[in-house]
Amino acid sequence: MKSFEWLHPILTPHFKLDWLTKFKLKEVNDFQNQHNVQQSMNQSMNYINETMKNVMEMKALVWGVEENESKKLIGIIEVNDLDTSSTCVKFIGNKISSKSQKAILDRITNSLQQVGCKELVILSK
């Protein structure tokens, strides 16, 4: 399996998907706190570090979703179970409509298949 480095940023007409390390720590922390994951700045920093460790070890893919117009973090996409027959894609954040989720999924599906994902199971939180 090759590195995931080529999987960022991913651009769509309305969004940019990028590694969480490309966002300010405060922005990730604010996003988590707005979505009922009460985190201190240190906890958010640990989440970002652990997430990127998993990406670098090719265990997961996680993107922050930035809205092109506002340049704000409006969601997080977690892709887990990369080495199983069913890969879980979780959209976190209520500011990404179902229509936008579908457009994002359409954009990333080919990339996910290239890294070995087979059947995708979609979750929204």
Side-chain angles (χ1 to χ4, degrees):
M1 193 182 291
K2 58 185 172 181
S3 164
F4 290 157
E5 190 61 30
W6 62 278
L7 289 168
H8 87 101
I10 294 179
L11 306 174
T12 75
H14 302 287
F15 305 104
K16 178 170 87 171
L17 283 59
D18 214 338
W19 303 145
L20 291 179
T21 53
K22 299 294 183 177
F23 295 89
K24 292 181 175 147
L25 175 59
K26 181 165 179 19
E27 195 171 9
V28 174
N29 181 258
D30 288 346
F31 177 84
Q32 289 177 311
N33 288 324
Q34 290 168 4
H35 291 87
N36 298 322
V37 181
Q38 300 303 312
Q39 299 284 327
S40 68
M41 290 294 244
N42 279 340
Q43 289 170 315
S44 292
M45 181 179 61
N46 290 337
Y47 167 72
I48 293 168
N49 288 337
E50 186 65 26
T51 296
M52 290 313 299
K53 178 180 173 238
N54 287 333
V55 170
M56 296 304 183
E57 292 175 352
M58 295 185 282
K59 294 180 180 176
L61 282 165
V62 179
W63 293 284
V65 180
E66 178 181 272
E67 186 177 47
N68 289 343
E69 190 174 299
S70 70
K71 302 291 186 213
K72 296 207 183 272
L73 176 66
I74 63 160
I76 294 175
I77 300 172
E78 295 180 349
V79 183
N80 297 300
D81 306 320
L82 297 174
D83 57 351
T84 63
S85 61
S86 268
T87 300
C88 179
V89 179
K90 181 167 41 170
F91 287 87
I92 302 169
N94 56 9
K95 293 187 178 181
I96 305 174
S97 69
S98 295
K99 182 179 176 182
S100 292
Q101 286 182 16
K102 183 183 178 331
I104 291 169
L105 191 60
D106 288 346
R107 175 64 180 85
I108 65 173
T109 295
N110 187 46
S111 298
L112 294 176
Q113 289 171 340
Q114 287 181 44
V115 298
C117 299
K118 296 170 183 67
E119 179 183 342
L120 300 177
V121 177
I122 313 304
L123 303 173
S124 292
K125 185 175 173 186

mmCIF file of all heavy atoms in Angstrom, residues 7-11 14-32 41 44-45 47-49 51-52 62-68 70-77 92 96:
data_model
loop_
_atom_site.group_PDB
_atom_site.id
_atom_site.type_symbol
_atom_site.label_atom_id
_atom_site.label_comp_id
_atom_site.label_asym_id
_atom_site.label_seq_id
_atom_site.Cartn_x
_atom_site.Cartn_y
_atom_site.Cartn_z
ATOM 1 N N LEU A 7 -3.530 12.050 -1.083
ATOM 2 C CA LEU A 7 -4.960 12.209 -0.824
ATOM 3 C C LEU A 7 -5.315 13.533 -0.130
ATOM 4 O O LEU A 7 -6.348 13.619 0.522
ATOM 5 C CB LEU A 7 -5.465 11.031 0.023
ATOM 6 C CG LEU A 7 -5.535 9.716 -0.735
ATOM 7 C CD1 LEU A 7 -5.764 8.566 0.214
ATOM 8 C CD2 LEU A 7 -6.635 9.773 -1.778
ATOM 9 N N HIS A 8 -4.457 14.527 -0.275
ATOM 10 C CA HIS A 8 -4.808 15.840 0.260
ATOM 11 C C HIS A 8 -4.078 16.916 -0.510
ATOM 12 O O HIS A 8 -2.981 16.650 -1.006
ATOM 13 C CB HIS A 8 -4.504 15.927 1.763
ATOM 14 C CG HIS A 8 -3.099 16.357 2.055
ATOM 15 N ND1 HIS A 8 -2.773 17.633 2.418
ATOM 16 C CD2 HIS A 8 -1.930 15.682 1.987
ATOM 17 C CE1 HIS A 8 -1.459 17.713 2.584
ATOM 18 N NE2 HIS A 8 -0.930 16.547 2.334
ATOM 19 N N PRO A 9 -4.599 18.089 -0.635
ATOM 20 C CA PRO A 9 -6.021 18.337 -0.388
ATOM 21 C C PRO A 9 -6.864 17.748 -1.512
ATOM 22 O O PRO A 9 -6.367 17.525 -2.616
ATOM 23 C CB PRO A 9 -6.115 19.861 -0.375
ATOM 24 C CG PRO A 9 -5.019 20.318 -1.283
ATOM 25 C CD PRO A 9 -3.913 19.299 -1.120
ATOM 26 N N ILE A 10 -8.107 17.500 -1.197
ATOM 27 C CA ILE A 10 -9.082 17.079 -2.201
ATOM 28 C C ILE A 10 -10.048 18.246 -2.359
ATOM 29 O O ILE A 10 -10.599 18.742 -1.368
ATOM 30 C CB ILE A 10 -9.825 15.795 -1.774
ATOM 31 C CG1 ILE A 10 -8.829 14.631 -1.740
ATOM 32 C CG2 ILE A 10 -10.985 15.512 -2.717
ATOM 33 C CD1 ILE A 10 -9.415 13.313 -1.305
ATOM 34 N N LEU A 11 -10.233 18.670 -3.586
ATOM 35 C CA LEU A 11 -11.057 19.841 -3.856
ATOM 36 C C LEU A 11 -12.353 19.446 -4.541
ATOM 37 O O LEU A 11 -12.376 18.575 -5.408
ATOM 38 C CB LEU A 11 -10.287 20.824 -4.744
ATOM 39 C CG LEU A 11 -8.913 21.242 -4.224
ATOM 40 C CD1 LEU A 11 -8.191 22.089 -5.257
ATOM 41 C CD2 LEU A 11 -9.031 21.975 -2.904
ATOM 42 N N HIS A 14 -17.354 23.151 -3.769
ATOM 43 C CA HIS A 14 -17.760 23.906 -2.578
ATOM 44 C C HIS A 14 -16.883 23.674 -1.352
ATOM 45 O O HIS A 14 -16.995 24.403 -0.365
ATOM 46 C CB HIS A 14 -19.211 23.582 -2.215
ATOM 47 C CG HIS A 14 -20.158 23.872 -3.336
ATOM 48 N ND1 HIS A 14 -20.518 25.143 -3.705
ATOM 49 C CD2 HIS A 14 -20.796 23.039 -4.192
ATOM 50 C CE1 HIS A 14 -21.344 25.087 -4.739
ATOM 51 N NE2 HIS A 14 -21.527 23.819 -5.051
ATOM 52 N N PHE A 15 -16.027 22.643 -1.389
ATOM 53 C CA PHE A 15 -15.279 22.273 -0.194
ATOM 54 C C PHE A 15 -13.826 21.939 -0.518
ATOM 55 O O PHE A 15 -13.495 21.560 -1.635
ATOM 56 C CB PHE A 15 -15.906 21.047 0.486
ATOM 57 C CG PHE A 15 -17.352 21.213 0.805
ATOM 58 C CD1 PHE A 15 -18.330 20.600 0.035
ATOM 59 C CD2 PHE A 15 -17.756 21.998 1.882
ATOM 60 C CE1 PHE A 15 -19.671 20.758 0.324
ATOM 61 C CE2 PHE A 15 -19.100 22.160 2.182
ATOM 62 C CZ PHE A 15 -20.057 21.537 1.402
ATOM 63 N N LYS A 16 -13.010 22.044 0.512
ATOM 64 C CA LYS A 16 -11.639 21.535 0.447
ATOM 65 C C LYS A 16 -11.481 20.556 1.598
ATOM 66 O O LYS A 16 -11.767 20.887 2.751
ATOM 67 C CB LYS A 16 -10.622 22.671 0.584
ATOM 68 C CG LYS A 16 -9.178 22.161 0.580
ATOM 69 C CD LYS A 16 -8.160 23.291 0.482
ATOM 70 C CE LYS A 16 -7.840 23.821 1.844
ATOM 71 N NZ LYS A 16 -6.712 24.772 1.842
ATOM 72 N N LEU A 17 -11.041 19.341 1.290
ATOM 73 C CA LEU A 17 -10.786 18.327 2.306
ATOM 74 C C LEU A 17 -9.278 18.276 2.521
ATOM 75 O O LEU A 17 -8.520 18.126 1.563
ATOM 76 C CB LEU A 17 -11.271 16.954 1.834
ATOM 77 C CG LEU A 17 -12.773 16.665 1.893
ATOM 78 C CD1 LEU A 17 -13.583 17.631 1.065
ATOM 79 C CD2 LEU A 17 -13.050 15.251 1.471
ATOM 80 N N ASP A 18 -8.866 18.437 3.775
ATOM 81 C CA ASP A 18 -7.441 18.448 4.060
ATOM 82 C C ASP A 18 -7.194 17.818 5.425
ATOM 83 O O ASP A 18 -8.109 17.647 6.228
ATOM 84 C CB ASP A 18 -6.899 19.870 4.028
ATOM 85 C CG ASP A 18 -5.468 19.934 3.501
ATOM 86 O OD1 ASP A 18 -4.754 18.914 3.558
ATOM 87 O OD2 ASP A 18 -5.075 21.015 3.035
ATOM 88 N N TRP A 19 -5.924 17.466 5.672
ATOM 89 C CA TRP A 19 -5.551 16.883 6.960
ATOM 90 C C TRP A 19 -5.880 17.861 8.078
ATOM 91 O O TRP A 19 -5.821 19.079 7.904
ATOM 92 C CB TRP A 19 -4.063 16.571 7.018
ATOM 93 C CG TRP A 19 -3.478 15.657 5.982
ATOM 94 C CD1 TRP A 19 -2.234 15.765 5.458
ATOM 95 C CD2 TRP A 19 -4.047 14.483 5.382
ATOM 96 N NE1 TRP A 19 -2.004 14.744 4.573
ATOM 97 C CE2 TRP A 19 -3.096 13.941 4.504
ATOM 98 C CE3 TRP A 19 -5.280 13.842 5.503
ATOM 99 C CZ2 TRP A 19 -3.328 12.795 3.754
ATOM 100 C CZ3 TRP A 19 -5.520 12.702 4.755
ATOM 101 C CH2 TRP A 19 -4.548 12.191 3.902
ATOM 102 N N LEU A 20 -6.193 17.336 9.244
ATOM 103 C CA LEU A 20 -6.522 18.184 10.390
ATOM 104 C C LEU A 20 -5.357 19.079 10.799
ATOM 105 O O LEU A 20 -5.568 20.151 11.368
ATOM 106 C CB LEU A 20 -6.973 17.337 11.580
ATOM 107 C CG LEU A 20 -8.330 16.651 11.410
ATOM 108 C CD1 LEU A 20 -8.651 15.817 12.646
ATOM 109 C CD2 LEU A 20 -9.433 17.652 11.141
ATOM 110 N N THR A 21 -4.141 18.675 10.495
ATOM 111 C CA THR A 21 -2.982 19.506 10.837
ATOM 112 C C THR A 21 -2.938 20.789 10.014
ATOM 113 O O THR A 21 -2.192 21.709 10.346
ATOM 114 C CB THR A 21 -1.663 18.738 10.617
ATOM 115 O OG1 THR A 21 -1.655 18.211 9.291
ATOM 116 C CG2 THR A 21 -1.515 17.615 11.624
ATOM 117 N N LYS A 22 -3.732 20.889 8.973
ATOM 118 C CA LYS A 22 -3.786 22.098 8.153
ATOM 119 C C LYS A 22 -4.743 23.144 8.731
ATOM 120 O O LYS A 22 -4.822 24.256 8.227
ATOM 121 C CB LYS A 22 -4.200 21.761 6.718
ATOM 122 C CG LYS A 22 -3.241 20.840 6.016
ATOM 123 C CD LYS A 22 -1.904 21.506 5.812
ATOM 124 C CE LYS A 22 -0.957 20.603 5.048
ATOM 125 N NZ LYS A 22 0.311 21.244 4.769
ATOM 126 N N PHE A 23 -5.474 22.759 9.783
ATOM 127 C CA PHE A 23 -6.400 23.681 10.441
ATOM 128 C C PHE A 23 -5.787 24.170 11.740
ATOM 129 O O PHE A 23 -4.972 23.476 12.354
ATOM 130 C CB PHE A 23 -7.739 22.984 10.723
ATOM 131 C CG PHE A 23 -8.484 22.602 9.471
ATOM 132 C CD1 PHE A 23 -8.268 21.380 8.860
ATOM 133 C CD2 PHE A 23 -9.386 23.479 8.896
ATOM 134 C CE1 PHE A 23 -8.928 21.027 7.700
ATOM 135 C CE2 PHE A 23 -10.062 23.145 7.736
ATOM 136 C CZ PHE A 23 -9.830 21.917 7.134
ATOM 137 N N LYS A 24 -6.187 25.340 12.176
ATOM 138 C CA LYS A 24 -5.707 25.856 13.454
ATOM 139 C C LYS A 24 -6.282 25.004 14.581
ATOM 140 O O LYS A 24 -7.438 24.574 14.529
ATOM 141 C CB LYS A 24 -6.122 27.311 13.628
ATOM 142 C CG LYS A 24 -5.420 28.231 12.665
ATOM 143 C CD LYS A 24 -5.835 29.667 12.875
ATOM 144 C CE LYS A 24 -4.996 30.516 11.951
ATOM 145 N NZ LYS A 24 -5.629 31.665 11.441
ATOM 146 N N LEU A 25 -5.474 24.792 15.613
ATOM 147 C CA LEU A 25 -5.900 24.005 16.762
ATOM 148 C C LEU A 25 -7.187 24.561 17.357
ATOM 149 O O LEU A 25 -8.113 23.816 17.674
ATOM 150 C CB LEU A 25 -4.788 23.963 17.818
ATOM 151 C CG LEU A 25 -5.120 23.271 19.137
ATOM 152 C CD1 LEU A 25 -5.512 21.810 18.911
ATOM 153 C CD2 LEU A 25 -3.942 23.374 20.083
ATOM 154 N N LYS A 26 -7.270 25.863 17.493
ATOM 155 C CA LYS A 26 -8.478 26.488 18.060
ATOM 156 C C LYS A 26 -9.706 26.185 17.215
ATOM 157 O O LYS A 26 -10.791 25.954 17.739
ATOM 158 C CB LYS A 26 -8.293 27.987 18.212
ATOM 159 C CG LYS A 26 -9.518 28.654 18.817
ATOM 160 C CD LYS A 26 -9.247 30.031 19.310
ATOM 161 C CE LYS A 26 -10.439 30.741 19.894
ATOM 162 N NZ LYS A 26 -11.578 29.994 20.307
ATOM 163 N N GLU A 27 -9.535 26.152 15.903
ATOM 164 C CA GLU A 27 -10.665 25.868 15.015
ATOM 165 C C GLU A 27 -11.162 24.430 15.211
ATOM 166 O O GLU A 27 -12.370 24.183 15.260
ATOM 167 C CB GLU A 27 -10.228 26.096 13.570
ATOM 168 C CG GLU A 27 -11.353 26.197 12.601
ATOM 169 C CD GLU A 27 -10.916 26.624 11.219
ATOM 170 O OE1 GLU A 27 -9.700 26.690 10.930
ATOM 171 O OE2 GLU A 27 -11.820 26.882 10.402
ATOM 172 N N VAL A 28 -10.247 23.487 15.343
ATOM 173 C CA VAL A 28 -10.634 22.085 15.589
ATOM 174 C C VAL A 28 -11.296 21.973 16.958
ATOM 175 O O VAL A 28 -12.336 21.325 17.110
ATOM 176 C CB VAL A 28 -9.417 21.142 15.479
ATOM 177 C CG1 VAL A 28 -9.788 19.714 15.880
ATOM 178 C CG2 VAL A 28 -8.840 21.163 14.065
ATOM 179 N N ASN A 29 -10.724 22.630 17.959
ATOM 180 C CA ASN A 29 -11.283 22.597 19.304
ATOM 181 C C ASN A 29 -12.688 23.204 19.326
ATOM 182 O O ASN A 29 -13.613 22.631 19.913
ATOM 183 C CB ASN A 29 -10.357 23.336 20.275
ATOM 184 C CG ASN A 29 -10.872 23.326 21.688
ATOM 185 O OD1 ASN A 29 -11.423 24.320 22.159
ATOM 186 N ND2 ASN A 29 -10.707 22.209 22.368
ATOM 187 N N ASP A 30 -12.873 24.344 18.682
ATOM 188 C CA ASP A 30 -14.203 24.973 18.604
ATOM 189 C C ASP A 30 -15.189 24.041 17.913
ATOM 190 O O ASP A 30 -16.332 23.889 18.367
ATOM 191 C CB ASP A 30 -14.140 26.303 17.854
ATOM 192 C CG ASP A 30 -13.455 27.409 18.644
ATOM 193 O OD1 ASP A 30 -13.248 27.243 19.870
ATOM 194 O OD2 ASP A 30 -13.106 28.441 18.025
ATOM 195 N N PHE A 31 -14.767 23.404 16.822
ATOM 196 C CA PHE A 31 -15.640 22.474 16.109
ATOM 197 C C PHE A 31 -16.056 21.327 17.026
ATOM 198 O O PHE A 31 -17.236 20.980 17.093
ATOM 199 C CB PHE A 31 -14.940 21.926 14.856
ATOM 200 C CG PHE A 31 -15.766 20.911 14.132
ATOM 201 C CD1 PHE A 31 -16.726 21.305 13.225
ATOM 202 C CD2 PHE A 31 -15.602 19.551 14.376
ATOM 203 C CE1 PHE A 31 -17.512 20.357 12.569
ATOM 204 C CE2 PHE A 31 -16.370 18.607 13.732
ATOM 205 C CZ PHE A 31 -17.337 19.014 12.828
ATOM 206 N N GLN A 32 -15.094 20.743 17.734
ATOM 207 C CA GLN A 32 -15.418 19.629 18.635
ATOM 208 C C GLN A 32 -16.402 20.078 19.712
ATOM 209 O O GLN A 32 -17.366 19.374 20.004
ATOM 210 C CB GLN A 32 -14.149 19.088 19.279
ATOM 211 C CG GLN A 32 -13.265 18.335 18.321
ATOM 212 C CD GLN A 32 -11.984 17.869 18.982
ATOM 213 O OE1 GLN A 32 -11.298 18.642 19.635
ATOM 214 N NE2 GLN A 32 -11.670 16.598 18.811
ATOM 215 N N MET A 41 -7.984 22.237 24.908
ATOM 216 C CA MET A 41 -7.055 22.427 23.797
ATOM 217 C C MET A 41 -6.062 21.268 23.735
ATOM 218 O O MET A 41 -5.745 20.779 22.656
ATOM 219 C CB MET A 41 -6.311 23.759 23.927
ATOM 220 C CG MET A 41 -7.207 24.955 23.699
ATOM 221 S SD MET A 41 -7.769 25.005 22.004
ATOM 222 C CE MET A 41 -6.990 26.514 21.509
ATOM 223 N N SER A 44 -7.744 18.266 22.222
ATOM 224 C CA SER A 44 -7.876 18.443 20.771
ATOM 225 C C SER A 44 -6.536 18.214 20.082
ATOM 226 O O SER A 44 -6.467 17.581 19.026
ATOM 227 C CB SER A 44 -8.410 19.840 20.430
ATOM 228 O OG SER A 44 -9.743 19.973 20.861
ATOM 229 N N MET A 45 -5.473 18.720 20.680
ATOM 230 C CA MET A 45 -4.132 18.526 20.126
ATOM 231 C C MET A 45 -3.797 17.026 20.084
ATOM 232 O O MET A 45 -3.287 16.528 19.074
ATOM 233 C CB MET A 45 -3.098 19.271 20.965
ATOM 234 C CG MET A 45 -1.678 19.136 20.451
ATOM 235 S SD MET A 45 -0.481 20.040 21.447
ATOM 236 C CE MET A 45 -0.660 19.231 23.037
ATOM 237 N N TYR A 47 -5.964 14.574 19.926
ATOM 238 C CA TYR A 47 -6.837 13.980 18.906
ATOM 239 C C TYR A 47 -6.214 14.163 17.518
ATOM 240 O O TYR A 47 -6.139 13.219 16.726
ATOM 241 C CB TYR A 47 -8.226 14.616 18.973
ATOM 242 C CG TYR A 47 -9.093 14.313 17.775
ATOM 243 C CD1 TYR A 47 -9.639 13.047 17.566
ATOM 244 C CD2 TYR A 47 -9.375 15.301 16.835
ATOM 245 C CE1 TYR A 47 -10.432 12.773 16.467
ATOM 246 C CE2 TYR A 47 -10.164 15.037 15.730
ATOM 247 C CZ TYR A 47 -10.690 13.780 15.551
ATOM 248 O OH TYR A 47 -11.474 13.510 14.451
ATOM 249 N N ILE A 48 -5.753 15.375 17.227
ATOM 250 C CA ILE A 48 -5.139 15.647 15.925
ATOM 251 C C ILE A 48 -3.883 14.797 15.748
ATOM 252 O O ILE A 48 -3.686 14.175 14.701
ATOM 253 C CB ILE A 48 -4.814 17.145 15.766
ATOM 254 C CG1 ILE A 48 -6.107 17.961 15.706
ATOM 255 C CG2 ILE A 48 -3.958 17.394 14.523
ATOM 256 C CD1 ILE A 48 -5.901 19.462 15.832
ATOM 257 N N ASN A 49 -3.041 14.761 16.774
ATOM 258 C CA ASN A 49 -1.800 13.973 16.686
ATOM 259 C C ASN A 49 -2.090 12.489 16.493
ATOM 260 O O ASN A 49 -1.455 11.824 15.660
ATOM 261 C CB ASN A 49 -0.936 14.192 17.926
ATOM 262 C CG ASN A 49 -0.308 15.560 17.963
ATOM 263 O OD1 ASN A 49 -0.142 16.205 16.936
ATOM 264 N ND2 ASN A 49 0.038 16.025 19.149
ATOM 265 N N THR A 51 -4.834 11.147 15.306
ATOM 266 C CA THR A 51 -5.459 10.994 13.994
ATOM 267 C C THR A 51 -4.399 10.948 12.896
ATOM 268 O O THR A 51 -4.417 10.073 12.029
ATOM 269 C CB THR A 51 -6.438 12.160 13.741
ATOM 270 O OG1 THR A 51 -7.491 12.072 14.702
ATOM 271 C CG2 THR A 51 -7.024 12.106 12.356
ATOM 272 N N MET A 52 -3.456 11.883 12.942
ATOM 273 C CA MET A 52 -2.418 11.927 11.909
ATOM 274 C C MET A 52 -1.474 10.726 12.013
ATOM 275 O O MET A 52 -0.996 10.231 10.995
ATOM 276 C CB MET A 52 -1.658 13.246 11.975
ATOM 277 C CG MET A 52 -2.485 14.437 11.523
ATOM 278 S SD MET A 52 -3.388 14.197 9.960
ATOM 279 C CE MET A 52 -2.043 13.910 8.822
ATOM 280 N N VAL A 62 -8.551 10.706 7.569
ATOM 281 C CA VAL A 62 -9.389 11.707 8.232
ATOM 282 C C VAL A 62 -9.109 13.044 7.573
ATOM 283 O O VAL A 62 -7.960 13.464 7.463
ATOM 284 C CB VAL A 62 -9.088 11.792 9.748
ATOM 285 C CG1 VAL A 62 -9.962 12.848 10.408
ATOM 286 C CG2 VAL A 62 -9.311 10.431 10.413
ATOM 287 N N TRP A 63 -10.189 13.669 7.133
ATOM 288 C CA TRP A 63 -10.074 14.994 6.532
ATOM 289 C C TRP A 63 -10.922 15.992 7.310
ATOM 290 O O TRP A 63 -12.037 15.684 7.739
ATOM 291 C CB TRP A 63 -10.607 15.005 5.108
ATOM 292 C CG TRP A 63 -9.860 14.232 4.091
ATOM 293 C CD1 TRP A 63 -8.683 14.581 3.490
ATOM 294 C CD2 TRP A 63 -10.241 12.980 3.500
ATOM 295 N NE1 TRP A 63 -8.320 13.635 2.574
ATOM 296 C CE2 TRP A 63 -9.255 12.647 2.560
ATOM 297 C CE3 TRP A 63 -11.320 12.126 3.677
ATOM 298 C CZ2 TRP A 63 -9.314 11.487 1.794
ATOM 299 C CZ3 TRP A 63 -11.379 10.977 2.923
ATOM 300 C CH2 TRP A 63 -10.387 10.657 1.990
ATOM 301 N N GLY A 64 -10.427 17.194 7.445
ATOM 302 C CA GLY A 64 -11.255 18.309 7.854
ATOM 303 C C GLY A 64 -11.921 18.837 6.592
ATOM 304 O O GLY A 64 -11.319 18.830 5.510
ATOM 305 N N VAL A 65 -13.160 19.280 6.718
ATOM 306 C CA VAL A 65 -13.896 19.806 5.569
ATOM 307 C C VAL A 65 -14.011 21.318 5.735
ATOM 308 O O VAL A 65 -14.642 21.799 6.677
ATOM 309 C CB VAL A 65 -15.307 19.180 5.458
ATOM 310 C CG1 VAL A 65 -16.049 19.752 4.250
ATOM 311 C CG2 VAL A 65 -15.218 17.664 5.373
ATOM 312 N N GLU A 66 -13.382 22.029 4.828
ATOM 313 C CA GLU A 66 -13.422 23.491 4.843
ATOM 314 C C GLU A 66 -14.368 23.965 3.743
ATOM 315 O O GLU A 66 -14.252 23.535 2.591
ATOM 316 C CB GLU A 66 -12.028 24.068 4.587
ATOM 317 C CG GLU A 66 -11.990 25.579 4.547
ATOM 318 C CD GLU A 66 -10.592 26.095 4.263
ATOM 319 O OE1 GLU A 66 -9.827 26.291 5.214
ATOM 320 O OE2 GLU A 66 -10.282 26.269 3.059
ATOM 321 N N GLU A 67 -15.293 24.815 4.116
ATOM 322 C CA GLU A 67 -16.198 25.403 3.140
ATOM 323 C C GLU A 67 -15.420 26.460 2.357
ATOM 324 O O GLU A 67 -14.789 27.337 2.955
ATOM 325 C CB GLU A 67 -17.387 26.014 3.869
ATOM 326 C CG GLU A 67 -18.471 26.526 2.962
ATOM 327 C CD GLU A 67 -19.642 27.042 3.765
ATOM 328 O OE1 GLU A 67 -19.426 27.791 4.730
ATOM 329 O OE2 GLU A 67 -20.769 26.709 3.402
ATOM 330 N N ASN A 68 -15.445 26.377 1.044
ATOM 331 C CA ASN A 68 -14.673 27.311 0.217
ATOM 332 C C ASN A 68 -15.064 28.769 0.442
ATOM 333 O O ASN A 68 -14.205 29.645 0.488
ATOM 334 C CB ASN A 68 -14.822 26.975 -1.264
ATOM 335 C CG ASN A 68 -14.096 25.704 -1.651
ATOM 336 O OD1 ASN A 68 -13.230 25.226 -0.926
ATOM 337 N ND2 ASN A 68 -14.457 25.143 -2.787
ATOM 338 N N SER A 70 -16.622 30.330 3.135
ATOM 339 C CA SER A 70 -16.347 30.903 4.460
ATOM 340 C C SER A 70 -14.925 30.633 4.951
ATOM 341 O O SER A 70 -14.472 31.266 5.902
ATOM 342 C CB SER A 70 -17.336 30.352 5.490
ATOM 343 O OG SER A 70 -17.074 28.976 5.737
ATOM 344 N N LYS A 71 -14.248 29.653 4.341
ATOM 345 C CA LYS A 71 -12.908 29.226 4.781
ATOM 346 C C LYS A 71 -12.919 28.709 6.222
ATOM 347 O O LYS A 71 -11.947 28.807 6.940
ATOM 348 C CB LYS A 71 -11.875 30.357 4.648
ATOM 349 C CG LYS A 71 -11.741 30.907 3.256
ATOM 350 C CD LYS A 71 -11.107 29.897 2.342
ATOM 351 C CE LYS A 71 -10.835 30.516 0.979
ATOM 352 N NZ LYS A 71 -10.957 29.569 -0.094
ATOM 353 N N LYS A 72 -14.049 28.125 6.646
ATOM 354 C CA LYS A 72 -14.189 27.604 8.006
ATOM 355 C C LYS A 72 -14.294 26.085 7.986
ATOM 356 O O LYS A 72 -14.829 25.494 7.047
ATOM 357 C CB LYS A 72 -15.424 28.197 8.672
ATOM 358 C CG LYS A 72 -15.346 29.692 8.869
ATOM 359 C CD LYS A 72 -16.196 30.116 10.029
ATOM 360 C CE LYS A 72 -16.191 31.600 10.182
ATOM 361 N NZ LYS A 72 -15.149 32.132 10.973
ATOM 362 N N LEU A 73 -13.818 25.487 9.071
ATOM 363 C CA LEU A 73 -13.961 24.044 9.278
ATOM 364 C C LEU A 73 -15.422 23.767 9.613
ATOM 365 O O LEU A 73 -15.931 24.243 10.625
ATOM 366 C CB LEU A 73 -13.059 23.583 10.432
ATOM 367 C CG LEU A 73 -13.163 22.124 10.838
ATOM 368 C CD1 LEU A 73 -12.671 21.201 9.729
ATOM 369 C CD2 LEU A 73 -12.373 21.871 12.119
ATOM 370 N N ILE A 74 -16.104 23.019 8.739
ATOM 371 C CA ILE A 74 -17.523 22.743 8.976
ATOM 372 C C ILE A 74 -17.800 21.261 9.183
ATOM 373 O O ILE A 74 -18.934 20.878 9.450
ATOM 374 C CB ILE A 74 -18.413 23.285 7.844
ATOM 375 C CG1 ILE A 74 -18.083 22.584 6.527
ATOM 376 C CG2 ILE A 74 -18.289 24.793 7.714
ATOM 377 C CD1 ILE A 74 -19.177 22.682 5.507
ATOM 378 N N GLY A 75 -16.777 20.431 9.061
ATOM 379 C CA GLY A 75 -17.009 19.008 9.248
ATOM 380 C C GLY A 75 -15.703 18.237 9.284
ATOM 381 O O GLY A 75 -14.640 18.765 8.974
ATOM 382 N N ILE A 76 -15.829 16.993 9.688
ATOM 383 C CA ILE A 76 -14.707 16.062 9.689
ATOM 384 C C ILE A 76 -15.219 14.764 9.074
ATOM 385 O O ILE A 76 -16.327 14.318 9.368
ATOM 386 C CB ILE A 76 -14.172 15.817 11.121
ATOM 387 C CG1 ILE A 76 -13.562 17.107 11.678
ATOM 388 C CG2 ILE A 76 -13.156 14.675 11.143
ATOM 389 C CD1 ILE A 76 -13.108 17.020 13.125
ATOM 390 N N ILE A 77 -14.406 14.191 8.210
ATOM 391 C CA ILE A 77 -14.733 12.899 7.608
ATOM 392 C C ILE A 77 -13.706 11.902 8.112
ATOM 393 O O ILE A 77 -12.508 12.095 7.948
ATOM 394 C CB ILE A 77 -14.690 12.958 6.072
ATOM 395 C CG1 ILE A 77 -15.690 13.984 5.552
ATOM 396 C CG2 ILE A 77 -14.964 11.571 5.483
ATOM 397 C CD1 ILE A 77 -15.575 14.238 4.066
ATOM 398 N N ILE A 92 -18.894 13.914 10.305
ATOM 399 C CA ILE A 92 -19.154 14.555 11.591
ATOM 400 C C ILE A 92 -19.387 16.037 11.323
ATOM 401 O O ILE A 92 -18.555 16.695 10.715
ATOM 402 C CB ILE A 92 -17.968 14.377 12.560
ATOM 403 C CG1 ILE A 92 -17.686 12.886 12.771
ATOM 404 C CG2 ILE A 92 -18.240 15.077 13.891
ATOM 405 C CD1 ILE A 92 -16.399 12.589 13.493
ATOM 406 N N ILE A 96 -23.012 19.890 6.908
ATOM 407 C CA ILE A 96 -22.808 19.277 5.600
ATOM 408 C C ILE A 96 -24.108 18.574 5.228
ATOM 409 O O ILE A 96 -24.463 17.558 5.820
ATOM 410 C CB ILE A 96 -21.635 18.271 5.613
ATOM 411 C CG1 ILE A 96 -20.358 18.940 6.118
ATOM 412 C CG2 ILE A 96 -21.412 17.707 4.210
ATOM 413 C CD1 ILE A 96 -19.196 17.980 6.306
#
